[in-house]
C-alpha cells in the first residue's frame, strides 16, 4: 500500500531525473496491480499530430507515491491492466489540461481515466486563474521552475534523449502535490462537488459526438444567411471531408481548408473547370474527388424544397450587444465574490445558448445544460431573472 508520506513532490522530482521505463506487458501488469491499491496516480501523454487526423501516442507518463514511469506505447501490446487502472473507482487520476489526453485515450483505448481530477480546471475554482499552464502553476504554487524546451520534441523516436525523459517525467512529478493543495482548498470553499460535476462533464464530452461529421457545418456562423439548399450542400461537403480525413488519417487542411469549403459554396461551380478556379484547392483533390464534390452541389440544387436541413444559428440581434455585457458583468461580479475564474463560472457559449432558448418575443427562457448543476445555484437563476427584467 502507499506509505504514509508518499507523493512528496521533492522525492518525485528526484525520481524524475531517472524515470522507470515500462516497456513490457509483464512489467506494466505488475505495476498496475500496485497502482490500483493507491489513492491517486498522476497521468500525462506525449503524442504527435502533424501529418495525421488522429494523434500518435509517443509516451504515457505516470507518477505514483514513490516514482515516475514512462510507459512505452510503441512497445506494449497488452494495455488491459492499464485500462483496469483507468476504471478503478478508488484511484483518483490526476491530469493537467486533460482535454487532449482524454482524446488520445478515447482514440487508443475507448476507455477514459475516472474518477478524474484536472488541476487546470481546479485552479479556476480556487483562484489560481483560468487555463493556467503547468509551468506557471508550478512556479506560483511550489516555487518550481520547469522549462518548456522539449514541448515540440519527436516523441516517436527511440531512444528518447535524457532531456526528453526528464521533461516528460517532470510533467507528472508535481501533480499529486498540486492536487492535494487544491483538494484542501476546494473542501475549504465548499466547491468539491462543483469540481466533480465539471470532471463528469469533461469525461462525457471526450468521445467524439459527431463521428460522421454531419454537424460540423453548424460551426460556420458566417454562412447563416445562406438559402437552405446551399446550407445542405455545406453540410454534405463538410461531412464528406470529415469522413475522408478519418478514412485517410490526414488533417482537414490536407483535404479541404475551411476557407476552401466556403469558397466552393459561395462560387457554386458547376463544372470541373469552374471548380479548378477555387483558390487553394489542391490539384490532387480536384483530380480524385472533384466530381464527388460537384455531385453534392448538384444534389442540393436539384431538390431545394426537399432539403430538411437544420439552419446554422444566426448571430444574436444587435439589441443583445449591451445585454450580453450586462450578463457577463453579472458573471464577473459573482466570480470575484467567490474568488474564482469568471470564464469558468460563465462561458459565452452558455450565455448564448440560454438566450436562444427564449422565443422571438423573449419569453420562456430555460437554463441550458451548461448552466444547470452548480452553476444554476450560483448564477443561473439570477441570469433568468435578469433576462426577465430585459423584457419588462
Amino acid at each position: 500500500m502507499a506509505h504514509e508520506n508518499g507523493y512528496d513532490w521533492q522525492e518525485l522530482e528526484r525520481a524524475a531525473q531517472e524515470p522507470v521505463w515500462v516497456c513490457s506487458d509483464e512489467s506494466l501488469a505488475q505495476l498496475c496491480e500496485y497502482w490500483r491499491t493507491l489513492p491517486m496516480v498522476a497521468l500525462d501523454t506525449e503524442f504527435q499530430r502533424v501529418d495525421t487526423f488522429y494523434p500518435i501516442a509517443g509516451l504515457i507518463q505516470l507518477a505514483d507515491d514513490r516514482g515516475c514511469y514512462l510507459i512505452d506505447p510503441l512497445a506494449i501490446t497488452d494495455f488491459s491492466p492499464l485500462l483496469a487502472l483507468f476504471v478503478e473507482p478508488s484511484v483518483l487520476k490526476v491530469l493537467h489540461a486533460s482535454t487532449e489526453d482524454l482524446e488520445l485515450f478515447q482514440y487508443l483505448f475507448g476507455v477514459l481515466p475516472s474518477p478524474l481530477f484536472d488541476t487546470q480546471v481546479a485552479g479556476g475554482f480556487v483562484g489560481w486563474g483560468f487555463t493556467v499552464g503547468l509551468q506557471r502553476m508550478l512556479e506560483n504554487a511550489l516555487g518550481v521552475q520547469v522549462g518548456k524546451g522539449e514541448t515540440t520534441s519527436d516523441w516517436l523516436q527511440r531512444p528518447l534523449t535524457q532531456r526528453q525523459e526528464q521533461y516528460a517525467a517532470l510533467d507528472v512529478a508535481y501533480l499529486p502535490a498540486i492536487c492535494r493543495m487544491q483538494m484542501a482548498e476546494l473542501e475549504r470553499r465548499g466547491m468539491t462537488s462543483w469540481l466533480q460535476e465539471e470532471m463528469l462533464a469533461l469525461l462525457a464530452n471526450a468521445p467524439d459526438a459527431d463521428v460522421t461529421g454531419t454537424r460540423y457545418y453548424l460551426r460556420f456562423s458566417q454562412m447563416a444567411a445562406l438559402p437552405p439548399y446551399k446550407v445542405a450542400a455545406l453540410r454534405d461537403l463538410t461531412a464528406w471531408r470529415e469522413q475522408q480525413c478519418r478514412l485517410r488519417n490526414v488533417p482537414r487542411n490536407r483535404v479541404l481548408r475551411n476557407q476552401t469549403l466556403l469558397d466552393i459554396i459561395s462560387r457554386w461551380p458547376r463544372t470541373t473547370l469552374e471548380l479548378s478556379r477555387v483558390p487553394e484547392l489542391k490539384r490532387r483533390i480536384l483530380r480524385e474527388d472533384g466530381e464527388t464534390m460537384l455531385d453534392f452541389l448538384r444534389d442540393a440544387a436539384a431538390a431545394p424544397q426537399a432539403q430538411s436541413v437544420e439552419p446554422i444559428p444566426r448571430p444574436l440581434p444587435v439589441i443583445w450587444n449591451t445585454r450580453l455585457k450586462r450578463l457577463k458583468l453579472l458573471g464577473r461580479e459573482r466570480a470575484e465574490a467567490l474568488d474564482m475564474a469568471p470564464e469558468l463560472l460563465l462561458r459565452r457559449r452558455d450565455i448564448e445558448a440560454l438566450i436562444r432558448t427564449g422565443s422571438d418575443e423573449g419569453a420562456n427562457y430555460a437554463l441550458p445544460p451548461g448552466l444547470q448543476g452548480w452553476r444554476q445555484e450560483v448564477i443561473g437563476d439570477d441570469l433568468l431573472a435578469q433576462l426577465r427584467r430585459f423584457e419588462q
Side-chain angles (χ1 to χ4, degrees):
M1 296 294 289
H3 56 78
E4 198 172 322
N5 298 317
Y7 303 105
D8 178 273
W9 67 264
Q10 291 170 316
E11 181 183 329
L12 290 174
E13 183 182 57
R14 288 190 291 273
Q17 302 309 305
E18 293 185 14
V20 177
W21 274 92
V22 185
C23 299
S24 72
D25 295 347
E26 295 73 21
S27 58
L28 179 64
Q30 286 179 351
L31 285 164
C32 285
E33 192 174 336
Y34 172 69
W35 291 335
R36 289 179 66 188
T37 70
L38 299 177
M40 76 167 77
V41 294
L43 288 166
D44 190 28
T45 64
E46 304 295 347
F47 58 87
Q48 287 191 197
R49 197 180 198 169
V50 178
D51 300 315
T52 59
F53 184 84
Y54 296 108
I56 305 172
L59 210 57
I60 300 171
Q61 305 101 284
L62 187 146
D64 61 13
D65 62 327
R66 59 190 183 185
C68 298
Y69 306 82
L70 305 180
I71 301 169
D72 189 354
L74 306 184
I76 302 291
T77 59
D78 181 9
F79 284 98
S80 57
L82 184 66
L83 306 190
L85 171 68
F86 276 13
V87 299
E88 175 57 57
S90 63
V91 185
L92 187 66
K93 291 80 181 181
V94 185
L95 294 91
H96 183 86
S98 62
T99 304
E100 288 188 325
D101 302 304
L102 296 179
E103 184 184 353
L104 178 67
F105 291 143
Q106 180 68 35
Y107 170 62
L108 284 181
F109 309 128
V111 175
L112 297 172
S114 174
L116 175 68
F117 189 103
D118 189 316
T119 53
Q120 187 178 67
V121 178
F125 278 111
V126 299
W128 290 15
F130 188 65
T131 62
V132 175
L134 183 59
Q135 283 78 12
R136 186 152 67 91
M137 184 173 286
L138 295 178
E139 192 170 343
N140 294 341
L142 301 177
V144 170
Q145 291 191 331
V146 180
K148 300 181 182 179
E150 302 301 321
T151 307
T152 56
S153 284
D154 177 4
W155 294 103
L156 302 180
Q157 70 178 1
R158 294 294 184 270
L160 295 181
T161 66
Q162 185 181 30
R163 286 186 62 176
Q164 280 179 301
E165 291 182 5
Q166 292 174 354
Y167 170 88
L170 285 171
D171 268 354
V172 288
Y174 305 106
L175 291 184
I178 293 291
C179 173
R180 286 186 158 180
M181 293 170 69
Q182 292 176 334
M183 287 175 76
E185 184 62 14
L186 287 164
E187 186 69 29
R188 187 185 73 78
R189 293 169 174 237
M191 295 179 174
T192 301
S193 63
W194 298 5
L195 180 80
Q196 289 168 346
E197 280 186 41
E198 288 302 291
M199 296 301 97
L200 291 175
L202 253 183
L203 291 169
N205 291 329
D208 188 349
D210 186 27
V211 290
T212 58
T214 50
R215 297 186 62 79
Y216 193 97
Y217 76 102
L218 295 170
R219 305 182 190 193
F220 296 110
S221 57
Q222 69 270 48
M223 308 298 274
L226 289 177
Y229 77 95
K230 285 198 170 186
V231 175
L234 179 62
R235 175 198 61 195
D236 296 343
L237 200 53
T238 53
W240 171 81
R241 182 190 65 172
E242 291 299 293
Q243 293 159 18
Q244 291 303 309
C245 289
R246 287 165 168 77
L247 188 65
R248 306 175 192 186
N249 195 19
V250 294
R252 293 183 179 95
N253 288 349
R254 292 287 179 88
V255 180
L256 289 175
R257 294 180 178 275
N258 280 351
Q259 187 55 52
T260 307
L261 272 170
L262 302 184
D263 286 342
I264 291 172
I265 298 299
S266 298
R267 290 168 176 250
W268 204 260
R270 289 169 173 78
T271 65
T272 305
L273 178 61
E274 290 178 5
L275 182 61
S276 70
R277 294 176 181 145
V278 173
E280 295 193 52
L281 179 63
K282 299 181 189 305
R283 291 186 176 221
R284 180 180 56 79
I285 298 296
L286 175 68
R287 183 175 65 251
E288 296 176 5
D289 304 301
E291 278 304 315
T292 299
M293 292 189 288
L294 288 171
D295 282 342
F296 288 127
L297 307 190
R298 294 177 188 129
D299 291 346
Q305 304 309 317
Q307 294 294 348
S308 57
V309 57
E310 181 181 343
I312 298 171
R314 291 175 176 269
L316 293 172
V318 176
I319 191 175
W320 283 102
N321 290 353
T322 53
R323 293 179 175 185
L324 269 171
K325 290 179 183 175
R326 180 69 192 93
L327 295 172
K328 287 181 185 175
L329 179 61
L330 183 63
R332 273 201 307 276
E333 290 171 346
R334 190 61 47 85
E336 286 172 8
L338 292 166
D339 187 28
M340 66 178 292
E343 303 92 334
L344 179 58
L345 173 60
L346 191 57
R347 300 166 293 202
R348 183 184 175 95
R349 69 174 183 268
D350 291 331
I351 303 177
E352 292 200 3
L354 170 60
I355 292 168
R356 292 182 192 280
T357 64
S359 65
D360 291 338
E361 291 75 34
N364 303 318
Y365 291 107
L367 293 176
L371 285 172
Q372 295 172 17
W374 68 270
R375 287 187 179 87
Q376 177 172 354
E377 170 193 339
V378 176
I379 198 169
D381 293 332
D382 290 341
L383 291 171
L384 288 172
Q386 180 64 61
L387 286 170
R388 286 192 291 270
R389 285 194 290 273
F390 288 151
E391 304 304 328
Q392 290 172 359

